[in-house]
Amino acid sequence: MQLLAYLLAYPIIWFISILPFRLLYLLSDAVYVIVYYIIGYRKKTVRKNFALALPHLNATERKVLEKKFYHHFCDNFAEMAKALSISQKEIKQRFVFTNFEVVHELEKQGKSIAMLVGHYASYEWLLQMNTNFISHTGYGIYKPMRNKYFDRLVRKIRGRFKAELIGVREVVPTMRQNARTGVKGVYGFITDQSPLKNSAIHWGDFFGMEVPIHVGGEMLSKKLGLNMIFAKIEKVKRGHYSCTFIPVEGNLKEIPNYEISDRFMKMLEAQILEKPEYYLWTHKRFKHRRN
C-alpha cells in the first residue's frame, strides 16, 4: 500500500514541480478553495489557536486572517513540491539571505553551529542555505515519515540543496560522532514544535501562555561547545522570502539555562504578531499549556 500511494502521488508532485510559478500559484488558489471551503482542513485547530494567541482580534478580523493563512498554507505546499525541480539560480533569487557573512564568520571560528528556526514563512526553502557554506555541512533535523517511499522522496528533495537529513533520534549520536571526528556542522532545530508533555524539561511563555519549549538546540550547544544563531525568515511577497541571521553573543555556558530558547520564542512571537498569516497555525502548539 505504501508503494501504491507513492506511485499514485509522485506523478502529481512531479507535475506540480515543473509548472511555471504563475501557473503554480493559480493551482494553489484552486487548491485553497478545496482545502478551505470544502474540506475545511483543521479549521477547528486554527480557530482555537487564533482564540488563544490572538484574543485582541475580533471575529471579522480573525475571519480575514483565517483566509490569508490558508492561502499561504497552500502556497507553502506548492513551493515544497516546486523544490523537486527548481534550479539553484531561481531559488537563490526567490529566497535571499540578507547577511550570510554572519554564518561565514562563525565558520571561521572552527565550531559547529546550532540554528533555531520556527514554522514561519518558508522554512522549507531555507534548506538552500547549505549551498552557501564554506567549510560546514548542513543537517536538517526531521521526523522520518512512516511511508518509506515518501521519506526517500523528502530526502531526495532536500538533498538537492546539500542538506543531510537526520531523524530526531539520530541527532545526539550524530552530533557527538561529528565532534569526535572533527566534522563541522550547522544543525537546524525547529524550536516551536510542541514536545511531548512527559519529556518536557522547560516551560516558557508563548503568547502569554505557559507551554513546554524545545531546548535541545540550546542544551546540546552548551554541552558540545557550539555557536548559536537564530534564523528570522520573512515573506517579502508571494513566492519571495528573505532570511536574516541573528547570532547569540557571548559565552553560551554563562547564559542561564533556557534563556536562549525563551529569547528565540519571544522573537518569533513578535514576528507572528506583526504578520500572523505566515505562521503554521494548523499544528497544536498550545495543547499542553498550563494556564
Side-chain angles (χ1 to χ4, degrees):
M1 287 300 293
Q2 286 191 356
L3 179 58
L4 178 61
Y6 174 77
L7 292 175
L8 291 173
Y10 181 79
I12 298 173
I13 298 171
W14 177 83
F15 173 74
I16 294 172
S17 78
I18 64 172
L19 289 175
F21 273 96
R22 186 174 180 181
L23 293 179
L24 183 77
Y25 290 124
L26 284 175
L27 176 62
S28 177
D29 289 340
V31 172
Y32 158 77
V33 173
I34 298 171
V35 170
Y36 182 73
Y37 288 102
I38 300 175
I39 300 175
Y41 178 72
R42 292 199 174 186
K43 269 189 179 180
K44 288 184 179 180
T45 298
V46 172
R47 289 172 179 173
K48 185 175 182 179
N49 284 339
F50 283 176
L52 289 169
L54 308 170
H56 59 284
L57 299 181
N58 60 39
T60 301
E61 290 170 329
R62 288 183 195 174
K63 192 71 173 180
V64 171
L65 175 60
E66 187 176 281
K67 292 179 179 180
K68 286 183 178 180
F69 161 69
Y70 275 97
H71 270 294
H72 171 71
F73 181 72
C74 293
D75 280 359
N76 248 354
F77 274 93
E79 289 164 0
M80 287 168 63
K82 186 66 177 174
L84 181 60
S85 64
I86 192 171
S87 68
Q88 296 280 355
K89 180 180 179 181
E90 188 163 28
I91 198 169
K92 286 181 181 294
Q93 292 172 343
R94 289 179 170 272
F95 194 105
V96 177
F97 296 99
T98 64
N99 62 342
F100 212 94
E101 64 274 8
V102 168
V103 180
H104 288 160
E105 287 301 315
L106 292 178
E107 284 186 280
K108 291 177 183 177
Q109 294 181 20
K111 295 182 179 181
S112 289
I113 304 166
M115 179 179 66
L116 304 188
V117 189
H119 284 99
Y120 191 85
S122 180
Y123 45 91
E124 281 289 334
W125 279 7
L126 174 64
L127 286 171
Q128 64 105 353
M129 70 179 291
N130 298 289
T131 61
N132 297 326
F133 295 144
I134 296 173
S135 57
H136 285 41
T137 300
Y139 293 89
I141 300 166
Y142 84 120
K143 185 176 181 180
M145 302 178 71
R146 292 181 180 179
N147 187 314
K148 63 180 181 181
Y149 301 100
F150 281 111
D151 188 73
R152 192 180 302 161
L153 177 62
V154 168
R155 288 178 175 271
K156 176 183 176 181
I157 293 173
R158 295 174 179 176
R160 293 187 65 232
F161 306 108
K162 298 183 179 180
E164 296 280 346
L165 293 190
I166 49 177
V168 290
R169 295 181 179 179
E170 302 170 338
V171 176
V172 174
T174 300
M175 292 180 73
R176 285 177 173 167
Q177 174 66 15
N178 286 347
R180 286 194 296 267
T181 57
V183 175
K184 306 304 177 185
V186 178
Y187 304 93
F189 290 86
I190 298 183
T191 305
D192 62 327
Q193 287 179 315
S194 183
L196 296 174
K197 188 175 182 180
N198 294 336
S199 63
I201 63 172
H202 172 63
W203 293 66
D205 180 85
F206 192 47
F207 286 98
M209 289 169 277
E210 192 178 7
V211 295
I213 304 292
H214 268 296
V215 294
E218 175 183 350
M219 303 313 291
L220 285 169
S221 296
K222 290 181 175 182
K223 187 176 183 63
L224 299 175
L226 276 62
N227 283 318
M228 291 190 72
I229 54 174
F230 299 159
K232 183 179 181 181
I233 308 169
E234 299 176 277
K235 189 169 185 175
V236 180
K237 60 181 180 179
R238 196 175 199 182
H240 291 266
Y241 303 88
S242 69
C243 176
T244 300
F245 295 110
I246 303 171
V248 178
E249 305 287 355
N251 186 338
L252 299 188
K253 293 184 178 181
E254 294 179 355
I255 300 175
N257 285 345
Y258 319 131
E259 182 179 307
I260 295 172
S261 301
D262 285 338
R263 196 188 306 170
F264 172 78
M265 295 299 289
K266 279 296 152 191
M267 182 196 78
L268 179 63
E269 180 182 320
Q271 192 177 9
I272 295 168
L273 286 171
E274 186 177 348
K275 291 184 178 179
E277 60 267 34
Y278 301 143
Y279 188 58
L280 185 62
W281 293 104
T282 51
H283 72 293
K284 299 178 181 179
R285 185 62 191 86
F286 307 106
K287 63 182 177 181
H288 298 313
R289 67 190 186 282
R290 279 180 173 165
N291 51 339

